Amino acid sequence: MRYEKYISVPDAIWFDVVPDSWRALKMRGVFSERNTKVSDKDYPALSVGKMGVVPQLDTAVKTDNGDNRKLICKGDFAINSRSDRKGSSGISQYDGSASLIITVLKPHRSLNGRFYHYLLRGHYFAEEFYRNGHGLVSDLWTTKWDEMRNIYIPVPPREEQNQIVRYLDWQVSKINKLIHGYQRQIKLLEERRQTVIDRAVTKGVRQGRQMHSIQANWMGDIPADWKMIPSKRLFLESKERKHPDDKPATASQKYGIILQEDYMKSENKRIVIATQGLDDWKHVEPDNFVISLRSFQGGIERSEIFGCVTWHYIVLLPQKYVVPRYFKWLLKSKSYIKALQGTSEFIRDGQDLRYSNFVKVDLPLIPASEQEEIADYIEQETAKIDRAIPVLEKEIELLKEYRTRLISDVVTGQMDVRNVEVPEYTPEEDIAEEAPEEQEVEMDAD
């Protein structure tokens, strides 16, 4: 569905033609910058992020003086100009105040804010927006009004803006509904995966066996031939220093114990590599377990490699009753992590988990053959789930790519939707959560 006739816009760069009934104007012809300074005592604090312009959370980190903020009025378009917040923008539904790093644009004329919400939040405009910016490094790259005011944007007639919004709201709702369906399937599979692990490591996988209860046992009822014993009988703390040929490794909930150089390759990003104080680092080898700084939140990692880890970590040596394949899953179970958290009165991100915490939680003494049996079962069952989840994630990725392309084609006039009849439908908003990116790996350069 293309328009009958187009006109060329050679200076636009991020689009080259528009329908002949549209205009292409520089942003200064549609918006002007709003630079009114206000206090958050008079105007409620707003945040500008991936989900648009929203009331600021109570937990948000304050980066400015509350008496020195920028006014945002309902109907303004606000952009978080930092490159690491790409796509963080939107038409405001509120009167409020924002950080001074936010660029606030006031519309010159009557326009459909939702149309510009779609247009200016789109991938292709965002790329052009940042192309006009400047900075020393990507995280400090910004685009100011003086640099964006000459960017060309398409301007359809107002009634056509309204129809485009009706059409996109409908189509995007349909796509969002499909995405949310796949996301729910993934969540159910992840819950199923955790249930398989928790049930198997605490109850075994044999049917119809006699169970018995032990007072104050975090595992609940356990098979009658299992015992609970002090964890220091199963794992000793290693004090062995790094070997001359050991390479620096780190603990990652995503990869387990991984060499730092391999982590960078896998994640395609740089990390700070320790170059001093390595003599105090600890040797680690296959089937050792490592207590890392995040073990209160995500269990304890089993190593499958030789290397060394920072002296902040605790290396555990399995004893003769331990089958590492089984304890890899046990130490990742929800019930064990909850028991581990109960050994500290003050849990916070980054708090060290020490060997003294670890030994407060008793562990099961199970025949080695049954440990192997449980590990086999968990590996088989989780493998099925682990194969299914990426298929669903790929479907979500394709739908998001289609949504991006559809929005771009419609708001730039590459698709004619003027005569499309929009039926009654139930709106489905994008419910993706926005949160700061969590640092996966903890490094130590001491």
Side-chain angles (χ1 to χ4, degrees):
M1 297 182 291
R2 296 271 293 174
Y3 284 81
E4 294 179 359
K5 188 176 180 181
Y6 289 84
I7 55 175
S8 176
V9 190
D11 296 327
I13 300 180
W14 68 282
F15 62 97
D16 53 6
V17 296
V18 293
D20 66 347
S21 58
W22 294 24
R23 290 192 293 169
L25 299 176
K26 292 181 177 180
M27 289 190 69
R28 68 190 185 196
V30 182
F31 298 97
S32 59
E33 186 178 21
R34 189 188 296 278
N35 263 325
T36 306
K37 303 293 178 59
V38 295
S39 168
D40 61 5
K41 298 180 181 65
D42 301 317
Y43 291 88
L46 302 175
S47 292
V48 182
K50 302 293 185 182
M51 301 304 293
V53 183
V54 297
Q56 190 177 77
L57 297 175
D58 293 337
T59 56
V61 177
K62 302 296 173 60
T63 59
D64 53 32
N65 187 322
D67 292 326
N68 189 26
R69 291 171 63 80
K70 191 176 291 188
L71 175 67
I72 297 180
C73 294
K74 185 175 181 179
D76 286 351
F77 190 84
I79 304 176
N80 194 322
S81 62
R82 292 291 176 86
S83 64
D84 58 351
R85 304 294 291 157
K86 188 175 289 188
S88 297
S89 59
I91 293 287
S92 179
Q93 301 300 315
Y94 314 94
D95 292 332
S97 65
S99 166
L100 295 180
I101 70 168
I102 303 300
T103 299
V104 182
L105 305 182
K106 176 177 65 175
H108 279 174
R109 63 191 75 192
S110 174
L111 52 80
N112 189 314
R114 287 285 294 169
F115 172 80
Y116 286 96
H117 188 79
Y118 279 122
L119 176 73
L120 301 182
R121 281 171 53 88
H123 168 77
Y124 299 99
F125 173 80
E127 292 299 316
E128 176 65 8
F129 173 76
Y130 285 102
R131 189 186 69 82
N132 283 269
H134 68 282
L136 297 177
V137 293
S138 60
D139 287 349
L140 298 177
W141 191 275
T142 60
T143 307
K144 298 182 178 179
W145 173 242
D146 286 343
E147 296 154 339
M148 74 176 79
R149 64 199 299 270
N150 291 320
I151 297 175
Y152 279 90
I153 56 175
V155 182
R158 175 57 190 267
E159 181 51 43
E160 206 161 331
Q161 293 179 31
N162 297 342
Q163 172 63 6
I164 286 172
V165 167
R166 285 192 291 267
Y167 175 81
L168 285 178
D169 283 349
W170 169 46
Q171 290 295 319
V172 168
S173 288
K174 291 200 300 182
I175 296 169
N176 288 343
K177 186 173 183 179
L178 291 172
I179 290 173
H180 299 158
Y182 286 130
Q183 289 172 335
R184 284 190 292 270
Q185 290 182 53
I186 290 173
K187 184 177 181 181
L188 289 173
L189 286 171
E190 290 172 340
E191 291 173 351
R192 166 63 181 164
R193 188 181 193 276
Q194 193 63 54
T195 299
V196 165
I197 295 169
D198 289 352
R199 173 73 185 180
V201 296
T202 59
K203 311 300 178 189
V205 295
R206 299 174 185 175
Q207 302 298 316
R209 65 198 306 182
Q210 185 177 355
M211 309 292 282
H212 72 139
S213 61
I214 300 176
Q215 188 174 5
N217 176 26
W218 62 270
M219 292 177 68
D221 291 349
I222 59 174
D225 56 344
W226 291 15
K227 297 179 181 179
M228 300 299 291
I229 63 173
S231 53
K232 61 184 177 182
R233 289 179 55 189
L234 297 178
F235 293 93
L236 298 179
E237 181 179 3
S238 172
K239 300 292 187 179
E240 186 176 359
R241 297 301 181 191
K242 72 177 290 289
H243 294 181
D245 56 348
D246 282 347
K247 294 182 177 180
T250 192
S252 160
Q253 292 184 28
K254 184 176 181 179
Y255 299 107
I257 306 303
I258 184 174
L259 294 179
Q260 292 182 1
E261 59 187 33
D262 292 337
Y263 177 82
M264 288 191 289
K265 292 176 183 177
S266 298
E267 291 294 297
N268 192 30
K269 63 182 178 182
R270 300 286 302 171
I271 58 177
V272 177
I273 300 294
T275 58
Q276 297 179 349
L278 291 178
D279 290 342
D280 292 330
W281 282 39
K282 299 176 181 178
H283 174 72
V284 64
E285 57 187 58
D287 287 339
N288 289 171
F289 285 75
V290 176
I291 299 177
S292 69
L293 301 183
R294 290 181 185 269
S295 294
F296 272 127
Q297 286 76 36
I300 298 168
E301 308 298 338
R302 174 194 176 195
S303 178
E304 298 182 1
I305 64 170
F306 289 91
C308 62
V309 294
T310 172
W311 55 271
H312 283 150
Y313 293 176
I314 305 298
V315 178
L316 301 175
L317 299 179
Q319 301 305 292
K320 64 178 181 179
Y321 302 114
V322 171
V323 174
R325 291 177 58 232
Y326 165 77
F327 277 90
K328 165 191 172 180
W329 298 107
L330 176 73
L331 300 180
K332 286 285 189 180
S333 65
K334 276 188 175 181
S335 49
Y336 175 77
I337 293 171
K338 183 177 180 180
L340 202 59
Q341 291 174 345
T343 67
S344 175
E345 297 179 355
F346 182 58
I347 303 295
R348 62 177 175 82
D349 288 344
Q351 179 184 350
D352 288 7
L353 166 63
R354 313 314 303 173
Y355 186 65
S356 58
N357 298 104
F358 175 78
V359 298
K360 290 179 181 178
V361 181
D362 289 348
L363 292 172
L365 178 63
I366 305 172
S369 59
E370 189 171 358
Q371 291 185 54
E372 296 282 5
E373 179 182 307
I374 294 170
D376 287 342
Y377 171 80
I378 294 175
E379 288 170 4
Q380 292 169 8
E381 294 300 309
T382 57
K384 299 174 187 176
I385 297 172
D386 292 344
R387 287 193 295 269
I389 288 177
V391 174
L392 297 172
E393 289 175 335
K394 182 61 176 178
E395 292 295 329
I396 292 173
E397 180 184 345
L398 291 173
L399 282 168
K400 288 182 177 179
E401 290 175 358
Y402 172 68
R403 183 176 62 188
T404 296
R405 183 73 257 177
L406 175 68
I407 292 171
S408 176
D409 285 348
V410 174
V411 297
T412 59
Q414 309 311 302
M415 181 185 296
D416 184 358
V417 299
R418 289 174 296 179
N419 297 318
V420 176
E421 184 175 347
V422 177
E424 294 291 330
Y425 68 95
T426 302
E428 185 96 7
E429 297 294 332
D430 185 357
I431 59 174
E433 295 183 358
E434 181 178 9
E437 183 179 350
E438 183 175 327
Q439 181 66 26
E440 170 71 22
V441 182
E442 292 122 357
M443 299 300 167
D444 187 275
D446 293 338

